[in-house]
Amino acid sequence: MTTTTRYEPYVGDALADDAEFIAGGTDLVTLMRGGLRRPTAVVDLKAGDLSVGVTTTEDGWRIGAGTTLAMIEEHAELIAGAPVLSQAAAQAATRQIRNRATIAGNLLQRSRCSYFRDEDIPCWLKGGTSCPARSGLHEHLAVVDQGPCITTQPSDAASALVALGATVTYDDSGSSTTVLVDELLAAPSDDDRRLHRLPHGAVIQHLDVPRPNGPSVYLKAMDRAAWQFALVGIAAVRHDDGVRLVASGVAATPYCLVVATEALDGVWTPDRIEAAARAATTGFEPGDRSRYKLPLVQALVRRALDDLA
Ligand SMILES: Cc1cc2nc3c(=O)[nH]c(=O)nc-3n(C[C@H](O)[C@H](O)[C@H](O)COP(=O)(O)OP(=O)(O)OC[C@H]3O[C@@H](n4cnc5c(N)ncnc54)[C@H](O)[C@@H]3O)c2cc1C
């Protein structure tokens, strides 16, 4: 039986191994309904003092962990100053889900691989010994940096936050820790089969997003117009020291397209943009069914760089 309790600061100290926090519930409830999580207790963060809303800081914005994707999508200053983030939020899921889904929950959501989501398939990510997707239905899965599992990171906002250089601050047993979003999110390993490295019982308090001094954009390819995870997404942010390009839908983490950035090398001519787009998929190793993602990455990089030029 699952009990629900209200979040009190530092309750994490006492969070049992088989307990879970819940915020908007759009991922956790789905996992519980699917028989993939059976927590004995659920601690409701929204009933506690979880911070909600976007505030302006000296060098950017602070986003409370309980801020919904819809609030980020509609925030006028973010739309003007960091459109990559508001666009990534706006293109996630559906309006109904974005009204509930929080930014912290979005970063911590579990894999969307259909094998992982099937209770009856003991895939590697659920503690099994092998990844059935590799020789099976892998058209939505990773095409680069593949480990023992070929899941992708499902969050659109994650790529935008990595491209912006955002940090996450979490509370763990009363002490506060700040890490880059890029460090919080990680590929699953034998020791930790999650897509992030938040300590068990820690509660994300807020994110800090530095204000970029150049334009930015998030482009997403889906196989239908709404309610769909990214086949490929590209977050592009122009900074003083160059452009940061981060891809969704290609790896278990937001994937930095460093080779493309190097090929552009700050020269915004059509030839160099074309060279950067072609270089974007260097080192990618798609499966038979996911090969189509390579021209998609190149096309979105080309469009994103054209937008920012
Ligand atoms: C049909 C559908 C389509 C979707 N499409 C997309 C999409 O296209 N792009 C996309 O990015 N996402 C998509 N999503 C995912 C959705 O955005 C996430 O489910 C949502 O953001 C999770 O937020 P939540 O607040 O509901 O999290 P919850 O379900 O409440 O929690 C998720 C996890 O985060 C943990 N958690 C939540 N908040 C905190 C906190 N402050 N501190 C510590 N732990 C915390 C919970 O313990 C749980 O493990 C889709 C979801 C659905 C159902």
Side-chain angles (χ1 to χ4, degrees), residues 60-90:
W61 302 272
R62 175 159 290 184
I63 303 180
T67 307
T68 63
L69 297 182
M71 293 166 83
I72 292 172
E73 165 186 2
E74 286 172 355
H75 194 268
E77 272 191 43
L78 288 177
I79 292 171
V84 64
L85 182 56
S86 52
Q87 290 167 6

Side-chain angles (χ1 to χ4, degrees), residues 72-145:
I72 292 172
E73 165 186 2
E74 286 172 355
H75 194 268
E77 272 191 43
L78 288 177
I79 292 171
V84 64
L85 182 56
S86 52
Q87 290 167 6
Q91 291 177 74
T94 60
R95 180 65 198 199
Q96 288 91 332
I97 290 169
R98 296 196 297 274
N99 281 338
R100 283 201 67 82
T102 64
I103 186 68
N106 186 261
L107 291 179
L108 302 178
Q109 62 179 299
R110 306 296 298 270
S111 168
R112 284 283 161 179
C113 171
S114 55
Y115 295 97
F116 173 78
R117 293 271 164 173
D118 187 328
E119 187 188 6
D120 297 325
I121 298 177
C123 77
W124 181 90
L125 199 54
K126 300 206 281 292
T129 54
S130 64
C131 170
R134 210 174 280 281
S135 57
L137 302 173
H138 58 256
E139 50 267 52
H140 291 153
L141 298 174
V143 287
V144 67
D145 253 10

Side-chain angles (χ1 to χ4, degrees), residues 20-28 45 50 65 69 91-93 97 100-102 104-106 108-109 112 154-156 198 202-204 220 227-229:
E20 284 267 15
F21 289 122
I22 192 166
T26 60
D27 192 37
L28 184 62
L45 295 172
L50 194 65
L69 297 182
Q91 291 177 74
I97 290 169
R100 283 201 67 82
T102 64
N106 186 261
L108 302 178
Q109 62 179 299
R112 284 283 161 179
S155 165
D156 287 299
L198 189 73
V203 177
I204 295 182
K220 177 173 176 178
W227 194 322
Q228 195 53 284
F229 291 85

Side-chain angles (χ1 to χ4, degrees), residues 58 148 156 259 271 295:
E58 208 171 302
D156 287 299
V259 184
D271 283 359

